[in-house]
Amino acid sequence: MPLPYSTFSEHLDALAARQSGAAALIDQDQPISVANLRARSRALAAGLARLGVQPGHRVAVWLPNCAAWVESFLACAHLGALVLAVNTRFRALEVADILGRGRADWLVYWPGFKGIDFQGILDGVAPEDLARLQGAVALSGANELSPAAVHGKPVHRYDALLACADPAPAAQGNAGVLCFTTSGTTSKPKFVLHDQKTLLRHGAMVARAFGYGDDACVLASAPFCGAFGFATLVGGLARGVPVVCAPVFDAAQSAQAAARHAVTHTYANNEALVGMMQAAAPGAFSRAQLFGFASFTPALDNLLDLAGEAGVPLTGLYGSSELIALVAGQPRDPAEGDVSARHQPGGTLIYPDARVRARDPETGQILPHGQSGEIEIRSPSLMRGYLDNPEATRAALTDDGYFKTGDLGYTLTGRQFVFQTRMGDSLRLSGFLVNPVEIEQVVETLPGVRACQVVGATRQGRIVPYAFVLLHAGAQADAVGWTAACKAAMAGFKAPAGFTVLEAFPSVESANSVKIQKHRLREMADAILSDCAS
């Protein structure tokens, strides 16, 4: 779809001229108009420019869903800087990787948010990972003190930058503006780079495909730092309809916000939607036009029942960091595809010229509709590439421009498909795709642990990581200490739900190697967690 604007600054200018008083965001129940969002993001751009932020600089934004996240993104887009999106649940190991390998020049963060010891986490980052960092910007309340420095680098107050009297520099043109982090087939996350024009166009297509009218109001249920949450945000920004956000997702509060602000659309993992519907008062979703879900947990049947009782129309979704989330949604209209697949993950690609196919992973042959293989997608929403990693970029694409998703599924048409599972052993934890190698490498640094294998297991309807370990001679198990160490090193949702010591991992010899039988470990973990619950 042709767009009149290729940058967020151009789009925001036009939106402010057309509907300056309309709400662009509703942040903790406080509406922020288009004009106000524009003014604050430009003031912030001026303040950042005074600090020395330049086109091409990399700015790590370590904030929750709030107006400051959006303002920081828009300010960086105006300046031609690249945002490295950082999850607030990340800890020292993950933050160090993003700041160091992502070569961050600047950091924007909220030291007092949610009781998280941001300063302590930063203190745990090795100095070499901050070698390129020029300074940080701290979001603080009026009566809160900001840290003076991070590893000797100056920390500036966010509100002081907003008060900068300088005019904002001239807007930069289209360029790479946002990096999501994603786990690939190695232990290190990749940095998925998207440019402004692609993101804006995708937002416009999301709004069109999911039916945003003038009365639309979108609830942000996922973090803006990930592709799922950002696609929710950019769809609202592109269409000029309000996006409701809060720094912390709470099911009951989200249900109340949906009623209070007449929310029409939201997108979440099915566990989050179940929580919202269970907590909602009667009629809370009376304005709902479409709720989309990604099936990350086994609670689907319960979700369908609850949605039926609440009168909420549901549809399955699909997306990725490389293609941006909401790139596909199962159709509600037979003209758009097979509606019998509506409550399965996957969907019809939202771009008319996008295409999907399934490839046999063993033979390399393209499969007919209905046969399962690796899903490959060609879409205008495709990333620019993996930041600083041209080899990985080339490996992710076919010669004719399809992205190799690494997902197992089958096609229904050239634009519609059903997602089944990951081709490999990656885990969906709290809505995030996590490579178990990341967890295994941390566990293998713990006292007494010689080797580790992590699998996904089901506990109370949720997928959680579970660790099987081999010990050094004479070592003793210390599940309590290991759990505490993992939670200190990684986001809490990555910490194993339990540890079991084995004499050896179950394995089978193939023609080329000895392969660990992860399916047997998953069965063992499910049985252990089931016994614990009974």
Side-chain angles (χ1 to χ4, degrees):
M1 182 182 73
L3 284 177
Y5 312 112
S6 60
T7 68
F8 281 88
S9 289
E10 291 174 325
H11 174 68
L12 199 57
D13 287 345
L15 201 59
R18 188 169 67 245
Q19 53 187 72
S20 64
L25 297 173
I26 300 175
D27 181 19
Q28 300 184 78
D29 289 330
Q30 298 300 311
I32 298 171
S33 70
V34 173
N36 194 12
L37 179 62
R38 178 183 179 277
R40 288 175 63 88
S41 63
R42 295 294 163 81
L44 182 61
L48 290 171
R50 174 177 278 192
L51 292 185
V53 178
Q54 300 174 12
H57 276 189
R58 300 178 181 185
V59 182
V61 175
W62 192 14
L63 296 172
N65 284 10
C66 60
W69 197 104
V70 184
E71 292 164 0
S72 297
F73 170 79
L74 292 173
C76 288
H78 186 87
L79 294 174
L82 170 62
V83 169
L84 302 172
V86 187
N87 193 328
T88 55
R89 300 174 74 172
F90 282 177
R91 295 299 180 263
L93 191 72
E94 300 136 318
V95 172
D97 182 60
I98 294 176
L99 296 179
R101 199 160 49 87
R103 299 166 61 207
D105 298 287
W106 305 89
L107 169 67
V108 181
Y109 73 121
W110 187 351
F113 167 65
K114 200 184 171 185
I116 295 174
D117 183 14
F118 282 83
Q119 197 64 34
I121 293 170
L122 289 172
D123 288 343
V125 174
E128 56 265 27
D129 290 318
L130 297 173
R132 181 168 163 138
L133 198 71
Q134 298 184 38
V137 176
L139 181 66
S140 304
N143 299 318
E144 295 176 347
L145 294 176
S146 295
V150 172
H151 285 260
K153 310 297 176 69
V155 176
H156 308 271
R157 288 185 65 96
Y158 188 93
D159 54 2
L161 299 188
L162 283 176
C164 178
D166 297 348
Q172 295 294 308
N174 181 44
V177 70
L178 181 62
C179 272
F180 304 117
T181 54
T182 183
S183 292
T185 56
T186 67
S187 62
K188 293 294 186 182
K190 300 184 185 75
F191 300 97
V192 181
L193 176 64
H194 287 281
D195 63 34
Q196 297 196 47
K197 185 175 182 179
T198 300
L199 294 173
L200 265 176
R201 178 179 56 207
H202 190 70
M205 289 303 301
V206 166
R208 173 182 287 188
F210 295 106
Y212 292 7
D214 292 340
D215 63 341
C217 182
V218 183
L219 175 66
S221 301
F224 294 154
C225 63
F228 203 7
F230 188 83
T232 304
L233 170 65
V234 77
L237 286 177
R239 178 61 176 80
V241 297
V243 177
V244 181
C245 60
V248 180
F249 174 81
D250 178 273
Q253 292 176 7
S254 293
Q256 293 166 9
R260 191 159 50 247
H261 302 296
V263 165
T264 59
H265 296 74
T266 194
Y267 313 99
N269 65 66
N270 52 356
E271 182 186 0
L273 288 181
V274 165
M276 287 172 58
M277 292 179 189
Q278 288 176 333
F285 306 117
S286 61
R287 297 292 298 277
Q289 296 176 18
L290 184 67
F291 283 14
F293 68 93
S295 186
F296 295 161
T297 63
L300 178 59
D301 291 339
N302 191 24
L303 171 61
L304 296 180
D305 293 339
L306 290 168
E309 294 169 6
V312 172
L314 286 177
T315 199
L317 300 173
Y318 181 85
S320 69
S321 296
E322 291 88 350
L323 298 171
I324 317 178
L326 311 186
V327 73
Q330 295 292 7
R332 289 85 65 202
D333 183 338
E336 289 294 316
D338 185 352
V339 295
S340 68
R342 180 169 179 176
H343 295 139
Q344 298 187 63
T348 297
L349 294 164
I350 65 174
Y351 294 85
D353 54 343
R355 294 294 181 267
V356 61
R357 65 193 185 193
R359 185 186 297 273
D360 188 313
E362 295 184 358
T363 68
Q365 298 299 306
I366 302 301
L367 297 168
H369 299 321
Q371 290 191 20
S372 295
E374 182 180 8
I375 292 294
E376 297 179 348
I377 295 174
R378 187 183 67 209
S379 171
S381 62
L382 179 67
M383 64 179 177
R384 275 199 169 190
Y386 296 115
L387 186 68
D388 303 329
N389 197 342
E391 296 83 4
T393 302
R394 286 191 293 270
L397 302 175
T398 65
D399 291 340
D400 55 350
Y402 280 74
F403 171 65
K404 296 183 280 189
T405 67
D407 290 331
L408 185 72
Y410 57 90
T411 58
L412 297 172
T413 69
R415 287 183 58 220
Q416 187 183 5
F417 66 101
V418 171
F419 162 82
Q420 294 174 299
T421 188
R422 289 292 291 171
M423 293 290 293
D425 292 315
S426 295
L427 310 177
R428 281 284 184 187
L429 305 177
S430 293
F432 297 97
L433 183 63
V434 177
N435 190 329
V437 173
E438 296 180 52
I439 306 173
E440 291 162 359
Q441 290 186 338
V442 173
V443 174
E444 288 173 353
T445 67
L446 302 177
V449 176
R450 175 166 59 90
C452 174
Q453 288 290 310
V454 170
V455 296
T458 302
R459 181 179 65 184
Q460 297 176 344
R462 298 179 60 187
I463 300 299
V464 295
Y466 195 94
F468 292 91
V469 299
L470 310 181
L471 298 182
H472 290 291
Q476 298 294 316
D478 179 18
V480 173
W482 292 341
T483 299
C486 286
K487 289 183 176 178
M490 300 179 291
F493 62 81
K494 296 181 184 177
F499 297 83
T500 292
V501 176
L502 300 177
E503 293 294 324
F505 298 127
S507 62
V508 61
E509 288 194 26
S510 70
N512 301 311
S513 64
V514 175
K515 296 183 178 180
I516 295 172
Q517 296 177 302
K518 286 230 174 186
H519 68 281
R520 289 185 58 189
L521 293 177
R522 282 190 287 269
E523 292 168 358
M524 293 164 62
D526 281 337
I528 292 167
L529 293 180
S530 176
D531 289 341
C532 292
S534 60

